[in-house]
Amino acid sequence: MLARLRAVLLTTCSLAASVGVAHAADQASIHITVIADLDDDIYDARSGRGGVDATRMAVADFGGTVLGRPIIVDALNDHNKPAEAPGLATQAYDAGADLLMDVQNSPIALAVAKVANERRKLAISTGSAAPALTRGACSRYVYHYSFDLPAIETTTADYLAQKSHGKRWVFLSEDTGFGRAGIATMTPIITAHGGQVVKSYVLPAATSDYSAVVDELRGLNPEVVAVIDAGAKDDAGVSAVTKLGLPAMTTTALLYLSDVDRVQGGYAGVEAAVPWYWNLDAAARAWSDRFAAAHDGRRPTEAQAADYSATTQWLNAVRTAGTTDADAVVRALDGHKFDDFFAHGGEFRASDHAVVHDLYVVKVRAPAELPEPHAWFDVLATVPAATAFPVGTECKMTQ
């Protein structure tokens, strides 16, 4: 099954240059275009080809048609290059795409959102952490599904800082907007719970050697060490801290199952908020079993599960609206509340187009503690949607 799905995907990508011709000849079809990194790397593992497969699963489970029209899923490879994103979004819309899906990585999501707004066509981002999507750069034609940085960081800081041994914090972050924003978001929550930030290491973005920093950590006696890096850099920073064996909790801004799969013991003991986990409950497990059966036993990430969920919700809205017209579908989605295997307490928040739902604080098991393959997370707490997703003030949604 996996080989067949990948063969279909590779064929789709190889025909991307001629996709406009194919779409023009098939006006009766409804088209979903997944824009993702398909290059067999960290972002492909987080969503990528598995996200395309999850989108296709949703379409198949929906029956393959809506409004009496067949549904086609295309895929375009963004190579994790933001500069390519506007062209890909334009290409997809010109070729007849009714919806752009997945759209991970913050710069790529923001670039695609701009095109979606200009073209008045819909896009759903399931893998971006960018808070701007529901704040200063919010758009009537873009929904932010799954999570964003304020939701994850607020939930994580609030949970850990309430602990009696969660008062002394040290930050290790990259000197980027991502890193500095994480410190700025979490610090007021820490102090509100009577904690303090003992020290913040803001390191050049090119830093790969953490030895000088970790040598100082023991003397600071931290109770929580927060590593705020992105992508593969997070692997290095978190692993450097956990290997010290400090009597402190380690946390991070973005915790992906696929990253733990790749690094394994380097994430042992990390506690952080996540939007979903494949073994969360019976419904999540049942869907994940189906996904794993088609992917050599590999369990789905939160982004891949969100792709399935978001595709299903959009198709339901198209059926309700009786059309794929973006404005009509937005009217069907705004304020829509739902529960599925991915989102508990889910709602398409009309004010900023955040799709909110419960979040979960988890602790990463050590490799020797796994009850079964890929069962990395022990769920510590459930945080309801109303608490987990703070509302920003910058979004001026155009109605």
Side-chain angles (χ1 to χ4, degrees), residues 83-121:
E84 296 184 9
L88 292 176
T90 299
Q91 175 186 341
Y93 286 138
D94 284 348
D98 298 291
L99 172 70
L100 303 186
M101 269 296 306
D102 196 89
V103 194
Q104 61 176 330
N105 184 316
S106 295
I108 290 172
L110 290 168
V112 169
K114 184 177 180 181
V115 177
N117 197 47
E118 292 169 350
R119 299 293 294 269
R120 298 177 179 269
K121 302 280 282 185

PDB file of all heavy atoms in Angstrom, residues 83-121:
ATOM      1  N   ALA A  83      10.761  31.027  -0.852  1.00  0.00           N
ATOM      2  CA  ALA A  83      10.749  31.790  -2.105  1.00  0.00           C
ATOM      3  C   ALA A  83       9.928  31.107  -3.185  1.00  0.00           C
ATOM      4  O   ALA A  83       9.434  31.767  -4.115  1.00  0.00           O
ATOM      5  CB  ALA A  83      12.185  32.015  -2.598  1.00  0.00           C
ATOM      6  N   GLU A  84       9.770  29.781  -3.081  1.00  0.00           N
ATOM      7  CA  GLU A  84       9.009  29.049  -4.091  1.00  0.00           C
ATOM      8  C   GLU A  84       7.506  29.045  -3.811  1.00  0.00           C
ATOM      9  O   GLU A  84       6.708  28.730  -4.690  1.00  0.00           O
ATOM     10  CB  GLU A  84       9.510  27.606  -4.173  1.00  0.00           C
ATOM     11  CG  GLU A  84      10.944  27.471  -4.647  1.00  0.00           C
ATOM     12  CD  GLU A  84      11.378  26.029  -4.813  1.00  0.00           C
ATOM     13  OE1 GLU A  84      10.502  25.134  -4.712  1.00  0.00           O
ATOM     14  OE2 GLU A  84      12.571  25.787  -5.046  1.00  0.00           O
ATOM     15  N   ALA A  85       7.137  29.388  -2.595  1.00  0.00           N
ATOM     16  CA  ALA A  85       5.743  29.233  -2.174  1.00  0.00           C
ATOM     17  C   ALA A  85       4.750  30.081  -2.957  1.00  0.00           C
ATOM     18  O   ALA A  85       3.697  29.566  -3.381  1.00  0.00           O
ATOM     19  CB  ALA A  85       5.626  29.514  -0.678  1.00  0.00           C
ATOM     20  N   PRO A  86       5.003  31.380  -3.182  1.00  0.00           N
ATOM     21  CA  PRO A  86       4.003  32.157  -3.929  1.00  0.00           C
ATOM     22  C   PRO A  86       3.748  31.601  -5.328  1.00  0.00           C
ATOM     23  O   PRO A  86       2.598  31.548  -5.785  1.00  0.00           O
ATOM     24  CB  PRO A  86       4.618  33.562  -3.990  1.00  0.00           C
ATOM     25  CG  PRO A  86       5.565  33.624  -2.831  1.00  0.00           C
ATOM     26  CD  PRO A  86       6.118  32.233  -2.712  1.00  0.00           C
ATOM     27  N   GLY A  87       4.820  31.182  -6.010  1.00  0.00           N
ATOM     28  CA  GLY A  87       4.655  30.618  -7.346  1.00  0.00           C
ATOM     29  C   GLY A  87       3.860  29.331  -7.331  1.00  0.00           C
ATOM     30  O   GLY A  87       3.031  29.084  -8.222  1.00  0.00           O
ATOM     31  N   LEU A  88       4.103  28.486  -6.317  1.00  0.00           N
ATOM     32  CA  LEU A  88       3.370  27.230  -6.225  1.00  0.00           C
ATOM     33  C   LEU A  88       1.892  27.482  -5.942  1.00  0.00           C
ATOM     34  O   LEU A  88       1.013  26.826  -6.525  1.00  0.00           O
ATOM     35  CB  LEU A  88       3.968  26.350  -5.128  1.00  0.00           C
ATOM     36  CG  LEU A  88       5.370  25.806  -5.389  1.00  0.00           C
ATOM     37  CD1 LEU A  88       5.862  25.028  -4.176  1.00  0.00           C
ATOM     38  CD2 LEU A  88       5.390  24.911  -6.627  1.00  0.00           C
ATOM     39  N   ALA A  89       1.605  28.417  -5.043  1.00  0.00           N
ATOM     40  CA  ALA A  89       0.207  28.731  -4.737  1.00  0.00           C
ATOM     41  C   ALA A  89      -0.503  29.281  -5.965  1.00  0.00           C
ATOM     42  O   ALA A  89      -1.642  28.898  -6.282  1.00  0.00           O
ATOM     43  CB  ALA A  89       0.143  29.736  -3.587  1.00  0.00           C
ATOM     44  N   THR A  90       0.165  30.168  -6.676  1.00  0.00           N
ATOM     45  CA  THR A  90      -0.413  30.729  -7.898  1.00  0.00           C
ATOM     46  C   THR A  90      -0.638  29.639  -8.943  1.00  0.00           C
ATOM     47  O   THR A  90      -1.692  29.582  -9.585  1.00  0.00           O
ATOM     48  CB  THR A  90       0.515  31.818  -8.464  1.00  0.00           C
ATOM     49  OG1 THR A  90       0.657  32.863  -7.494  1.00  0.00           O
ATOM     50  CG2 THR A  90      -0.053  32.393  -9.752  1.00  0.00           C
ATOM     51  N   GLN A  91       0.357  28.770  -9.095  1.00  0.00           N
ATOM     52  CA  GLN A  91       0.228  27.661 -10.043  1.00  0.00           C
ATOM     53  C   GLN A  91      -0.967  26.784  -9.693  1.00  0.00           C
ATOM     54  O   GLN A  91      -1.751  26.384 -10.573  1.00  0.00           O
ATOM     55  CB  GLN A  91       1.501  26.821 -10.024  1.00  0.00           C
ATOM     56  CG  GLN A  91       1.442  25.559 -10.874  1.00  0.00           C
ATOM     57  CD  GLN A  91       2.667  24.679 -10.706  1.00  0.00           C
ATOM     58  OE1 GLN A  91       3.713  25.136 -10.251  1.00  0.00           O
ATOM     59  NE2 GLN A  91       2.545  23.406 -11.053  1.00  0.00           N
ATOM     60  N   ALA A  92      -1.119  26.473  -8.413  1.00  0.00           N
ATOM     61  CA  ALA A  92      -2.214  25.594  -7.998  1.00  0.00           C
ATOM     62  C   ALA A  92      -3.573  26.237  -8.249  1.00  0.00           C
ATOM     63  O   ALA A  92      -4.490  25.600  -8.790  1.00  0.00           O
ATOM     64  CB  ALA A  92      -2.055  25.243  -6.522  1.00  0.00           C
ATOM     65  N   TYR A  93      -3.721  27.511  -7.871  1.00  0.00           N
ATOM     66  CA  TYR A  93      -5.001  28.185  -8.095  1.00  0.00           C
ATOM     67  C   TYR A  93      -5.293  28.327  -9.582  1.00  0.00           C
ATOM     68  O   TYR A  93      -6.435  28.140 -10.024  1.00  0.00           O
ATOM     69  CB  TYR A  93      -4.999  29.555  -7.420  1.00  0.00           C
ATOM     70  CG  TYR A  93      -5.119  29.513  -5.909  1.00  0.00           C
ATOM     71  CD1 TYR A  93      -4.332  30.347  -5.110  1.00  0.00           C
ATOM     72  CD2 TYR A  93      -6.017  28.661  -5.277  1.00  0.00           C
ATOM     73  CE1 TYR A  93      -4.446  30.336  -3.731  1.00  0.00           C
ATOM     74  CE2 TYR A  93      -6.138  28.631  -3.893  1.00  0.00           C
ATOM     75  CZ  TYR A  93      -5.341  29.472  -3.118  1.00  0.00           C
ATOM     76  OH  TYR A  93      -5.457  29.455  -1.750  1.00  0.00           O
ATOM     77  N   ASP A  94      -4.275  28.660 -10.370  1.00  0.00           N
ATOM     78  CA  ASP A  94      -4.478  28.771 -11.820  1.00  0.00           C
ATOM     79  C   ASP A  94      -4.903  27.437 -12.429  1.00  0.00           C
ATOM     80  O   ASP A  94      -5.632  27.395 -13.427  1.00  0.00           O
ATOM     81  CB  ASP A  94      -3.190  29.243 -12.503  1.00  0.00           C
ATOM     82  CG  ASP A  94      -2.927  30.724 -12.299  1.00  0.00           C
ATOM     83  OD1 ASP A  94      -3.844  31.439 -11.835  1.00  0.00           O
ATOM     84  OD2 ASP A  94      -1.795  31.170 -12.595  1.00  0.00           O
ATOM     85  N   ALA A  95      -4.445  26.343 -11.804  1.00  0.00           N
ATOM     86  CA  ALA A  95      -4.772  25.008 -12.315  1.00  0.00           C
ATOM     87  C   ALA A  95      -6.114  24.507 -11.799  1.00  0.00           C
ATOM     88  O   ALA A  95      -6.507  23.382 -12.088  1.00  0.00           O
ATOM     89  CB  ALA A  95      -3.669  24.026 -11.937  1.00  0.00           C
ATOM     90  N   GLY A  96      -6.795  25.319 -11.020  1.00  0.00           N
ATOM     91  CA  GLY A  96      -8.142  24.959 -10.599  1.00  0.00           C
ATOM     92  C   GLY A  96      -8.293  24.510  -9.167  1.00  0.00           C
ATOM     93  O   GLY A  96      -9.361  24.011  -8.784  1.00  0.00           O
ATOM     94  N   ALA A  97      -7.281  24.674  -8.337  1.00  0.00           N
ATOM     95  CA  ALA A  97      -7.383  24.227  -6.941  1.00  0.00           C
ATOM     96  C   ALA A  97      -8.467  25.016  -6.210  1.00  0.00           C
ATOM     97  O   ALA A  97      -8.502  26.249  -6.261  1.00  0.00           O
ATOM     98  CB  ALA A  97      -6.052  24.391  -6.230  1.00  0.00           C
ATOM     99  N   ASP A  98      -9.332  24.309  -5.524  1.00  0.00           N
ATOM    100  CA  ASP A  98     -10.349  24.935  -4.679  1.00  0.00           C
ATOM    101  C   ASP A  98      -9.835  25.152  -3.266  1.00  0.00           C
ATOM    102  O   ASP A  98     -10.349  26.006  -2.542  1.00  0.00           O
ATOM    103  CB  ASP A  98     -11.594  24.044  -4.628  1.00  0.00           C
ATOM    104  CG  ASP A  98     -12.219  23.853  -5.994  1.00  0.00           C
ATOM    105  OD1 ASP A  98     -12.767  24.835  -6.525  1.00  0.00           O
ATOM    106  OD2 ASP A  98     -12.141  22.730  -6.531  1.00  0.00           O
ATOM    107  N   LEU A  99      -8.826  24.375  -2.884  1.00  0.00           N
ATOM    108  CA  LEU A  99      -8.273  24.459  -1.536  1.00  0.00           C
ATOM    109  C   LEU A  99      -6.790  24.108  -1.587  1.00  0.00           C
ATOM    110  O   LEU A  99      -6.398  23.131  -2.221  1.00  0.00           O
ATOM    111  CB  LEU A  99      -8.997  23.470  -0.603  1.00  0.00           C
ATOM    112  CG  LEU A  99      -8.413  23.302   0.809  1.00  0.00           C
ATOM    113  CD1 LEU A  99      -8.639  24.566   1.637  1.00  0.00           C
ATOM    114  CD2 LEU A  99      -9.026  22.090   1.510  1.00  0.00           C
ATOM    115  N   LEU A 100      -5.968  24.888  -0.869  1.00  0.00           N
ATOM    116  CA  LEU A 100      -4.574  24.530  -0.629  1.00  0.00           C
ATOM    117  C   LEU A 100      -4.475  23.974   0.773  1.00  0.00           C
ATOM    118  O   LEU A 100      -4.964  24.580   1.733  1.00  0.00           O
ATOM    119  CB  LEU A 100      -3.654  25.744  -0.786  1.00  0.00           C
ATOM    120  CG  LEU A 100      -3.701  26.472  -2.128  1.00  0.00           C
ATOM    121  CD1 LEU A 100      -2.634  27.562  -2.177  1.00  0.00           C
ATOM    122  CD2 LEU A 100      -3.537  25.499  -3.282  1.00  0.00           C
ATOM    123  N   MET A 101      -3.819  22.825   0.912  1.00  0.00           N
ATOM    124  CA  MET A 101      -3.764  22.123   2.187  1.00  0.00           C
ATOM    125  C   MET A 101      -2.330  21.966   2.672  1.00  0.00           C
ATOM    126  O   MET A 101      -1.379  22.007   1.891  1.00  0.00           O
ATOM    127  CB  MET A 101      -4.385  20.735   2.058  1.00  0.00           C
ATOM    128  CG  MET A 101      -5.870  20.691   2.379  1.00  0.00           C
ATOM    129  SD  MET A 101      -6.222  21.123   4.103  1.00  0.00           S
ATOM    130  CE  MET A 101      -5.150  19.977   4.951  1.00  0.00           C
ATOM    131  N   ASP A 102      -2.191  21.768   3.971  1.00  0.00           N
ATOM    132  CA  ASP A 102      -0.955  21.445   4.676  1.00  0.00           C
ATOM    133  C   ASP A 102      -0.130  22.712   4.913  1.00  0.00           C
ATOM    134  O   ASP A 102      -0.125  23.257   5.997  1.00  0.00           O
ATOM    135  CB  ASP A 102      -0.147  20.387   3.915  1.00  0.00           C
ATOM    136  CG  ASP A 102       0.930  19.758   4.783  1.00  0.00           C
ATOM    137  OD1 ASP A 102       0.621  18.758   5.441  1.00  0.00           O
ATOM    138  OD2 ASP A 102       2.058  20.272   4.811  1.00  0.00           O
ATOM    139  N   VAL A 103       0.610  23.176   3.929  1.00  0.00           N
ATOM    140  CA  VAL A 103       1.289  24.477   3.969  1.00  0.00           C
ATOM    141  C   VAL A 103       2.042  24.656   5.286  1.00  0.00           C
ATOM    142  O   VAL A 103       1.720  25.518   6.094  1.00  0.00           O
ATOM    143  CB  VAL A 103       0.277  25.631   3.760  1.00  0.00           C
ATOM    144  CG1 VAL A 103       1.044  26.931   3.463  1.00  0.00           C
ATOM    145  CG2 VAL A 103      -0.689  25.342   2.628  1.00  0.00           C
ATOM    146  N   GLN A 104       3.048  23.827   5.503  1.00  0.00           N
ATOM    147  CA  GLN A 104       3.806  23.913   6.749  1.00  0.00           C
ATOM    148  C   GLN A 104       4.986  24.852   6.606  1.00  0.00           C
ATOM    149  O   GLN A 104       5.321  25.273   5.496  1.00  0.00           O
ATOM    150  CB  GLN A 104       4.285  22.522   7.172  1.00  0.00           C
ATOM    151  CG  GLN A 104       5.199  21.840   6.179  1.00  0.00           C
ATOM    152  CD  GLN A 104       5.704  20.510   6.704  1.00  0.00           C
ATOM    153  OE1 GLN A 104       5.862  20.325   7.897  1.00  0.00           O
ATOM    154  NE2 GLN A 104       5.958  19.586   5.806  1.00  0.00           N
ATOM    155  N   ASN A 105       5.595  25.178   7.738  1.00  0.00           N
ATOM    156  CA  ASN A 105       6.709  26.121   7.857  1.00  0.00           C
ATOM    157  C   ASN A 105       6.165  27.549   7.784  1.00  0.00           C
ATOM    158  O   ASN A 105       5.503  27.934   6.818  1.00  0.00           O
ATOM    159  CB  ASN A 105       7.751  25.875   6.761  1.00  0.00           C
ATOM    160  CG  ASN A 105       8.974  26.761   6.904  1.00  0.00           C
ATOM    161  OD1 ASN A 105       8.862  27.947   7.163  1.00  0.00           O
ATOM    162  ND2 ASN A 105      10.151  26.187   6.725  1.00  0.00           N
ATOM    163  N   SER A 106       6.463  28.346   8.804  1.00  0.00           N
ATOM    164  CA  SER A 106       5.849  29.674   8.950  1.00  0.00           C
ATOM    165  C   SER A 106       6.060  30.595   7.755  1.00  0.00           C
ATOM    166  O   SER A 106       5.087  31.191   7.260  1.00  0.00           O
ATOM    167  CB  SER A 106       6.348  30.327  10.237  1.00  0.00           C
ATOM    168  OG  SER A 106       5.907  29.597  11.361  1.00  0.00           O
ATOM    169  N   PRO A 107       7.294  30.790   7.251  1.00  0.00           N
ATOM    170  CA  PRO A 107       7.445  31.691   6.100  1.00  0.00           C
ATOM    171  C   PRO A 107       6.665  31.232   4.877  1.00  0.00           C
ATOM    172  O   PRO A 107       6.117  32.053   4.135  1.00  0.00           O
ATOM    173  CB  PRO A 107       8.956  31.679   5.839  1.00  0.00           C
ATOM    174  CG  PRO A 107       9.571  31.275   7.124  1.00  0.00           C
ATOM    175  CD  PRO A 107       8.606  30.310   7.736  1.00  0.00           C
ATOM    176  N   ILE A 108       6.601  29.915   4.669  1.00  0.00           N
ATOM    177  CA  ILE A 108       5.843  29.389   3.532  1.00  0.00           C
ATOM    178  C   ILE A 108       4.351  29.640   3.727  1.00  0.00           C
ATOM    179  O   ILE A 108       3.648  30.076   2.802  1.00  0.00           O
ATOM    180  CB  ILE A 108       6.131  27.884   3.353  1.00  0.00           C
ATOM    181  CG1 ILE A 108       7.566  27.687   2.844  1.00  0.00           C
ATOM    182  CG2 ILE A 108       5.125  27.233   2.403  1.00  0.00           C
ATOM    183  CD1 ILE A 108       8.017  26.240   2.805  1.00  0.00           C
ATOM    184  N   ALA A 109       3.859  29.396   4.932  1.00  0.00           N
ATOM    185  CA  ALA A 109       2.435  29.605   5.203  1.00  0.00           C
ATOM    186  C   ALA A 109       2.047  31.069   5.013  1.00  0.00           C
ATOM    187  O   ALA A 109       0.985  31.377   4.456  1.00  0.00           O
ATOM    188  CB  ALA A 109       2.109  29.144   6.617  1.00  0.00           C
ATOM    189  N   LEU A 110       2.882  31.988   5.476  1.00  0.00           N
ATOM    190  CA  LEU A 110       2.578  33.413   5.326  1.00  0.00           C
ATOM    191  C   LEU A 110       2.593  33.832   3.866  1.00  0.00           C
ATOM    192  O   LEU A 110       1.770  34.649   3.434  1.00  0.00           O
ATOM    193  CB  LEU A 110       3.571  34.240   6.142  1.00  0.00           C
ATOM    194  CG  LEU A 110       3.414  34.119   7.662  1.00  0.00           C
ATOM    195  CD1 LEU A 110       4.609  34.719   8.383  1.00  0.00           C
ATOM    196  CD2 LEU A 110       2.120  34.788   8.128  1.00  0.00           C
ATOM    197  N   ALA A 111       3.521  33.267   3.084  1.00  0.00           N
ATOM    198  CA  ALA A 111       3.580  33.584   1.656  1.00  0.00           C
ATOM    199  C   ALA A 111       2.352  33.055   0.925  1.00  0.00           C
ATOM    200  O   ALA A 111       1.763  33.742   0.076  1.00  0.00           O
ATOM    201  CB  ALA A 111       4.858  33.012   1.049  1.00  0.00           C
ATOM    202  N   VAL A 112       1.947  31.835   1.248  1.00  0.00           N
ATOM    203  CA  VAL A 112       0.762  31.251   0.623  1.00  0.00           C
ATOM    204  C   VAL A 112      -0.492  32.011   1.041  1.00  0.00           C
ATOM    205  O   VAL A 112      -1.402  32.238   0.230  1.00  0.00           O
ATOM    206  CB  VAL A 112       0.648  29.754   0.977  1.00  0.00           C
ATOM    207  CG1 VAL A 112      -0.710  29.196   0.563  1.00  0.00           C
ATOM    208  CG2 VAL A 112       1.776  28.967   0.300  1.00  0.00           C
ATOM    209  N   ALA A 113      -0.552  32.420   2.303  1.00  0.00           N
ATOM    210  CA  ALA A 113      -1.715  33.162   2.793  1.00  0.00           C
ATOM    211  C   ALA A 113      -1.920  34.457   2.017  1.00  0.00           C
ATOM    212  O   ALA A 113      -3.059  34.855   1.721  1.00  0.00           O
ATOM    213  CB  ALA A 113      -1.554  33.460   4.278  1.00  0.00           C
ATOM    214  N   LYS A 114      -0.832  35.105   1.674  1.00  0.00           N
ATOM    215  CA  LYS A 114      -0.939  36.350   0.907  1.00  0.00           C
ATOM    216  C   LYS A 114      -1.557  36.083  -0.464  1.00  0.00           C
ATOM    217  O   LYS A 114      -2.423  36.838  -0.912  1.00  0.00           O
ATOM    218  CB  LYS A 114       0.441  36.982   0.756  1.00  0.00           C
ATOM    219  CG  LYS A 114       0.412  38.326   0.054  1.00  0.00           C
ATOM    220  CD  LYS A 114       1.803  38.949  -0.004  1.00  0.00           C
ATOM    221  CE  LYS A 114       1.763  40.297  -0.711  1.00  0.00           C
ATOM    222  NZ  LYS A 114       3.110  40.912  -0.803  1.00  0.00           N
ATOM    223  N   VAL A 115      -1.140  35.011  -1.116  1.00  0.00           N
ATOM    224  CA  VAL A 115      -1.703  34.667  -2.428  1.00  0.00           C
ATOM    225  C   VAL A 115      -3.179  34.286  -2.286  1.00  0.00           C
ATOM    226  O   VAL A 115      -4.016  34.693  -3.100  1.00  0.00           O
ATOM    227  CB  VAL A 115      -0.907  33.525  -3.081  1.00  0.00           C
ATOM    228  CG1 VAL A 115      -1.538  33.122  -4.418  1.00  0.00           C
ATOM    229  CG2 VAL A 115       0.548  33.944  -3.291  1.00  0.00           C
ATOM    230  N   ALA A 116      -3.494  33.500  -1.251  1.00  0.00           N
ATOM    231  CA  ALA A 116      -4.886  33.099  -1.036  1.00  0.00           C
ATOM    232  C   ALA A 116      -5.779  34.318  -0.854  1.00  0.00           C
ATOM    233  O   ALA A 116      -6.896  34.384  -1.397  1.00  0.00           O
ATOM    234  CB  ALA A 116      -4.978  32.177   0.186  1.00  0.00           C
ATOM    235  N   ASN A 117      -5.301  35.288  -0.107  1.00  0.00           N
ATOM    236  CA  ASN A 117      -6.091  36.494   0.135  1.00  0.00           C
ATOM    237  C   ASN A 117      -6.280  37.293  -1.158  1.00  0.00           C
ATOM    238  O   ASN A 117      -7.380  37.789  -1.439  1.00  0.00           O
ATOM    239  CB  ASN A 117      -5.399  37.356   1.190  1.00  0.00           C
ATOM    240  CG  ASN A 117      -6.331  38.383   1.793  1.00  0.00           C
ATOM    241  OD1 ASN A 117      -7.450  38.084   2.176  1.00  0.00           O
ATOM    242  ND2 ASN A 117      -5.873  39.630   1.864  1.00  0.00           N
ATOM    243  N   GLU A 118      -5.219  37.378  -1.935  1.00  0.00           N
ATOM    244  CA  GLU A 118      -5.308  38.112  -3.205  1.00  0.00           C
ATOM    245  C   GLU A 118      -6.249  37.426  -4.188  1.00  0.00           C
ATOM    246  O   GLU A 118      -6.996  38.089  -4.909  1.00  0.00           O
ATOM    247  CB  GLU A 118      -3.917  38.244  -3.825  1.00  0.00           C
ATOM    248  CG  GLU A 118      -2.983  39.161  -3.038  1.00  0.00           C
ATOM    249  CD  GLU A 118      -1.544  39.076  -3.518  1.00  0.00           C
ATOM    250  OE1 GLU A 118      -1.243  38.166  -4.336  1.00  0.00           O
ATOM    251  OE2 GLU A 118      -0.723  39.900  -3.085  1.00  0.00           O
ATOM    252  N   ARG A 119      -6.213  36.101  -4.191  1.00  0.00           N
ATOM    253  CA  ARG A 119      -7.031  35.345  -5.148  1.00  0.00           C
ATOM    254  C   ARG A 119      -8.428  35.032  -4.609  1.00  0.00           C
ATOM    255  O   ARG A 119      -9.260  34.487  -5.336  1.00  0.00           O
ATOM    256  CB  ARG A 119      -6.309  34.043  -5.508  1.00  0.00           C
ATOM    257  CG  ARG A 119      -4.944  34.259  -6.167  1.00  0.00           C
ATOM    258  CD  ARG A 119      -5.055  34.902  -7.542  1.00  0.00           C
ATOM    259  NE  ARG A 119      -5.717  34.018  -8.473  1.00  0.00           N
ATOM    260  CZ  ARG A 119      -5.074  33.141  -9.253  1.00  0.00           C
ATOM    261  NH1 ARG A 119      -3.758  33.056  -9.223  1.00  0.00           N
ATOM    262  NH2 ARG A 119      -5.739  32.364 -10.073  1.00  0.00           N
ATOM    263  N   ARG A 120      -8.660  35.322  -3.341  1.00  0.00           N
ATOM    264  CA  ARG A 120      -9.948  35.009  -2.701  1.00  0.00           C
ATOM    265  C   ARG A 120     -10.291  33.524  -2.818  1.00  0.00           C
ATOM    266  O   ARG A 120     -11.403  33.120  -3.150  1.00  0.00           O
ATOM    267  CB  ARG A 120     -11.071  35.874  -3.290  1.00  0.00           C
ATOM    268  CG  ARG A 120     -10.868  37.357  -3.071  1.00  0.00           C
ATOM    269  CD  ARG A 120     -11.949  38.185  -3.730  1.00  0.00           C
ATOM    270  NE  ARG A 120     -11.751  39.598  -3.497  1.00  0.00           N
ATOM    271  CZ  ARG A 120     -12.262  40.297  -2.467  1.00  0.00           C
ATOM    272  NH1 ARG A 120     -13.006  39.679  -1.583  1.00  0.00           N
ATOM    273  NH2 ARG A 120     -12.022  41.574  -2.348  1.00  0.00           N
ATOM    274  N   LYS A 121      -9.274  32.724  -2.534  1.00  0.00           N
ATOM    275  CA  LYS A 121      -9.398  31.265  -2.547  1.00  0.00           C
ATOM    276  C   LYS A 121      -8.908  30.745  -1.202  1.00  0.00           C
ATOM    277  O   LYS A 121      -8.094  31.372  -0.524  1.00  0.00           O
ATOM    278  CB  LYS A 121      -8.567  30.664  -3.679  1.00  0.00           C
ATOM    279  CG  LYS A 121      -8.929  31.183  -5.064  1.00  0.00           C
ATOM    280  CD  LYS A 121     -10.151  30.511  -5.629  1.00  0.00           C
ATOM    281  CE  LYS A 121      -9.817  29.136  -6.169  1.00  0.00           C
ATOM    282  NZ  LYS A 121     -10.987  28.508  -6.838  1.00  0.00           N
TER     283      LYS A 121
END
